[in-house]
Amino acid sequence: MAELQFREALKHAIDEEMGRDERVFIMGEEVAEYNGAYKVTEGLLDKYGFKRVIDTPISELGFAGLGVGAAMRGLRPIVEFMTFNFAVLAADQIINHATKVKYMTGGQIDCPIVFRGPNASAGQLGATHSVAYDSMYAHFPGLKVIYPSEPGDAKGLLKAAIRDDNPVIFMESEQMYGMKGEVSDAEDFIIPIGKGKIKREGSDVTLVAHGKMYHLAVQAANQLAKDGIECEIIDPRTVKPLDLPLIIESIKKTNRCVLIDEAHPFGGLAAEVGFLIQREAFDYLDAPVQRVCLPDVNAPFSKKLFDAWFPSPKQVIDAVNQVTYRT
Amino acid sequence: MAKKKKEEIRFAPTGIGDVNEGAVQKGVDLPDATEKTHKDLGLSEEQLLAMYEQMYLQRRFEERSMQQYQKGKFGGFLHLYIGQEAISTGTTFALDDEDDIITAYRDHGWGLCRGISAKEGMAELFGKATGSSRGKGGSMHFANAKKKFWGGYGIVGGHIPINAGFAFANKYNANGNISTCFFGDGAVDQGALHETLNLAQLWKLPAVFVVENNGYSMGTAAARHTVAQIVDRAKGYDMKSAVINGMDVFSVYEKMKEIADDVRENSEPWFVEIRTYRYRGHSMSDPQKYRTKEELEEYKTIDPIQRLKTYMLDNELTNEDQLKEIEDKVEQEVLDAVEFADESPFPEEKELYEDMFAEDDPYFHV
Ligand SMILES: Cc1ncc(C[n+]2csc(CCOP(=O)(O)OP(=O)(O)O)c2C)c(N)n1
Ligand SMILES: [Mg+2]
């Protein structure tokens, strides 16, 4: 095990995959000479040269589509978006092309491509730089969506994503890049896409949280433990495919569930998982499932409003109190 | 015979550390400044002093805001316009007050030009209720709709089609106004620009699209992210175009006035490249390894504010005392703004739910 920052874990994954497969290359804004807007690609230009570490103009639609084309012709692009807020400009290529080309051509053409970059809010960056897009992408058939919370998961899953023969959305967070965590140094450490993980065992309530929200769940669970409430935390790690059996098994044990999701409430992961739980574990529930997510409002700039907007550990604790009838 | 070694395959042009080209790519080449005097341009001495005051205000406002940022008074992005003030100032003096302006996130100078007070601006940076956007937008989203400053926008290139919409509305309403849009050299690479230029030319929209080419898109020199001369994009759309020296407020004023008159008269769009330089980093966390100190210093020797000052003094249109008075006044205005921002209240929590919909009591999904 090595202790690595999130960004280092990502870099190691990219580095190892570029090392083992000539077809893998990375492109995006400021990824090469600037060493990455968030330093994920630091040093890769020196190691792999200008052919495989490529700076792009601010042309998200263009370079995402170029990536799709390169993937259709057998290369394995990693397309970095400076944030997923800017990938909206490339939505046509991701949604209308990458996800559909194999199907439309009756299986003739593969599109092995990874679109990656930071997702969701990162403090006071205002309405256009703060959206969580994981649930939106999960809506579309043909995409796998990964949003890990810890460096170890990030490395194993990014390697899996790069080797996957399908388009994969891989999401990170500006606010997690500096976070440290244990990363396996097993040779070729791969985490299969679609496998969640029980990150804390507990018997009183199940918390489901991924990405940045996982850390919120941990804070709440630590607080609640002082009060004698033991939370089980499940990090799905991949939004789609979703490891539903893991969640259901936990609920069969705890009979209560709070979902924590950094998306707006309508049609987000929390909504989906909530539905699935009632379908698969209705008889096991001792209380209605609750969720903590963003309000149905754009991100405000002002610190005070931002703090009111962003999910807090207190909201998680309140929701746990509600499902355990402690209020 | 030994095989010739294959050249390394490259895609993006290289800049930093390019062994063939020398150290660092140069940002931009400036065109000559106008030789016209203020009288030739029809500018009065009062107007020159007003221009000076406006540019100096923008400069000091941003220098102070940087200090406040470093003190931790507010967070988020802070993109400074320092070095580019002649563009906002020359343009607003050249336009009618009823003409539209829209810009990108480097927007403080534009806001100050179009009636946002230093107080309201600083309070917005601080995220206070008294800010120009009630603390909802912050640095990137200054706006003053009453004065036809339609705001700063954070998605590169996103506001370019919107300017065509302003021009469309002006033509639709036959009100004689024109709309102007400002964006960086980086935005030239967005598809939005190209779709918009075609539409604007096809529909003869009274719009001006202006690239503030400051030589860099974040850490990428213009020559590394875009081909040919930016201004030549206009040719492909059969659009009128111009290149302007953005370090000289007279040059900006002269040409933008000419362009505004032409657009108003003929209802035809223009594509304009104003070359300039940003003195500070892209935002607050930028190590700036992509350019040389020498290049930055070179531009500081042709500083637009200093240039106007020298012109006025050389031509005895003012004196050191009068300028000092203006500078002191501005300095106080900015200090008062900092105090005002600091002491202003944050928005109330209920304001989180305000400004989302037109209705007073809208539906929110929970
Ligand atoms: C669509 C989109 N892609 C990327 C970004 C991130 N970004 C913000 S500013 C910037 C550089 C823009 O440079 P330029 O257009 O030259 O404007 P300048 O900052 O020089 O004023 C980038 C890449 C963004 N805001 N929007
Ligand atoms: Mg620029």
Side-chain angles (χ1 to χ4, degrees), chain B residues 330-365:
Chain B
V330 167
E331 193 61 41
Q332 195 54 50
E333 191 178 337
V334 175
L335 286 174
D336 290 347
V338 170
E339 193 179 303
F340 174 80
D342 210 15
E343 287 172 359
S344 288
F346 279 107
E348 287 178 44
E349 217 170 285
K350 70 173 173 48
E351 291 179 49
L352 181 60
Y353 289 87
E354 293 173 4
D355 309 319
M356 280 296 302
F357 288 99
E359 299 85 35
D360 288 337
D361 188 16
Y363 169 76
F364 292 104
H365 194 74

Side-chain angles (χ1 to χ4, degrees), chain B residues 84 105-106 183-187 211-218 220 222 225 276 278 282:
Chain B
Q84 304 182 212
Y105 46 84
R106 207 175 288 286
F183 45 91
D185 46 290
V211 186
E212 291 189 60
N213 182 356
N214 59 12
Y216 297 92
S217 163
M218 212 170 258
T220 307
H225 72 72
T276 179
R278 94 168 132 65
H282 171 73

Side-chain angles (χ1 to χ4, degrees), chain A residues 29-30 58-60 82-83 85-87 89 129, chain B residues 79 84 104-106 140 154-158 183-188 190 212-219 225 278 282:
Chain A
E29 292 155 25
E30 311 287 357
I58 313 178
S59 307
E60 285 84 1
M82 201 174 273
T83 85
N85 296 281
F86 314 144
L89 281 78
H129 284 56
Chain B
H79 307 93
Q84 304 182 212
Y105 46 84
R106 207 175 288 286
M140 298 201 290
I155 299 297
V156 169
F183 45 91
D185 46 290
V188 171
Q190 285 287 19
E212 291 189 60
N213 182 356
N214 59 12
Y216 297 92
S217 163
M218 212 170 258
H225 72 72
R278 94 168 132 65
H282 171 73

